[in-house]
Amino acid sequence: MTGNAERLAPFGRRRLVRASLAGAVAVTAGLVSDSPSTATRAEKTARPGTPETALRELVAGNARWRTYHERHPDQTRAVRQTLVSGQHPFATVLGCVDSRVPPELVFDQGLGDLLTVRSAGPVLDEAVLASITYGVLELGIPLVVVLGHQSCGAVTAAVQAARTGERLPGHMQYLADQIRPVIDPGVQGAARVDEAITANVRLVRSRLVAEPSIAAKVASGELAVVGARYELTSQRVHQTR
């Protein structure tokens, strides 16, 4: 993918626009500066309740993470006791199982902040889709982020299998079959894997927003579904295009 070092546009200052039945969401300005946000969870009057405020919170958290100013919020005794009676996460992150990309760390969030769904790739199957839908419909989460990442092993394996024609062992072939449609045979070398990582994020996002229940929420402005990538080299999250 070209422009991997580009900044993720600041979610919080962008306006939602309806671009199709899928309700594609765009955010209008560039990523907030590298300086971490000065607002703490204790200073907030309420958890993020709109797509824009949820996006802004994730951007600020990633800025703290990549500049080594993590706050590790929402881990106190009081928060843990509050969460016994219920949860109100403000964002769902569909990420890869890769141990280097834990969403709560990448976005510097704490207990009860994120509904995290992880699958290799990340690949969307019925269980993953049901989990995301649960967050949207039952918990009223206003933001879903599909988060791919640099040097994804699942995508790399799928690209290699497509090139050699060999089947992956066991259930891993299912991952390769799901990723195969986004592999561009016209791209050579390491770039083929990198392009497939971004293309897979776009595919998963498009499938999510095509779901009637999710599409309705997007069309009403209650929900944003955003594709993004995490770069291991810079620790930066940026929006896919």
Side-chain angles (χ1 to χ4, degrees):
M1 169 185 168
T2 59
N4 286 345
E6 292 179 0
R7 296 180 173 184
L8 174 62
F11 296 145
R13 288 178 296 189
R14 296 180 127 189
R15 297 171 302 171
L16 296 176
V17 294
R18 298 183 183 93
S20 66
L21 173 64
V25 175
V27 186
T28 57
L31 177 62
V32 292
S33 69
D34 284 351
S35 300
S37 170
T38 59
T40 65
R41 181 78 74 210
E43 294 170 338
K44 296 176 183 176
T45 57
R47 298 176 69 78
T50 67
E52 290 181 337
T53 56
L55 286 163
R56 187 182 302 123
E57 176 63 28
L58 292 187
V59 168
N62 180 243
R64 295 193 300 269
W65 165 256
R66 67 175 184 268
T67 57
Y68 302 96
H69 289 85
E70 302 96 318
R71 294 202 183 97
H72 308 291
D74 293 340
Q75 298 181 28
T76 64
R77 180 191 298 259
V79 168
R80 297 182 196 188
Q81 292 174 339
T82 300
L83 290 172
V84 172
S85 60
Q87 61 169 325
H88 303 283
F90 67 85
T92 294
V93 179
L94 169 56
C96 183
V97 297
D98 196 298
S99 62
R100 300 168 292 178
V101 195
E104 288 85 356
L105 296 184
V106 167
F107 292 112
D108 191 30
Q109 301 301 318
L111 297 172
D113 294 333
L114 303 179
L115 187 70
T116 303
V117 185
R118 302 178 70 173
S119 68
V123 162
L124 189 65
D125 62 15
E126 285 297 314
V128 170
L129 179 58
S131 299
I132 294 171
T133 303
Y134 168 78
V136 171
L137 299 184
E138 298 298 322
L139 300 179
I141 293 174
L143 174 67
V144 175
V145 177
V146 181
L147 183 65
H149 69 92
Q150 179 184 19
S151 303
C152 179
V155 175
T156 300
V159 169
Q160 291 176 344
R163 179 177 58 81
T164 63
E166 297 180 359
R167 291 184 61 82
L168 297 181
H171 294 286
M172 290 175 59
Q173 185 59 40
Y174 175 81
L175 300 175
D177 291 341
Q178 295 298 305
I179 296 169
R180 184 185 297 272
V182 304
I183 299 172
D184 185 352
V187 180
Q188 302 301 317
R192 180 180 296 180
V193 173
D194 200 63
E195 290 284 352
I197 290 168
T198 301
N200 186 59
V201 169
R202 294 194 191 104
L203 174 64
V204 172
R205 180 192 174 277
S206 68
R207 289 179 59 190
L208 283 175
V209 296
E211 287 294 317
S213 58
I214 293 177
K217 291 284 187 178
V218 172
S220 69
E222 299 173 73
L223 174 70
V225 182
V226 174
R229 271 185 56 142
Y230 176 69
E231 305 302 335
L232 296 172
T233 49
S234 66
Q235 295 87 59
R236 183 185 298 277
V237 177
H238 63 93
Q239 189 171 351
T240 56
R241 291 181 172 81

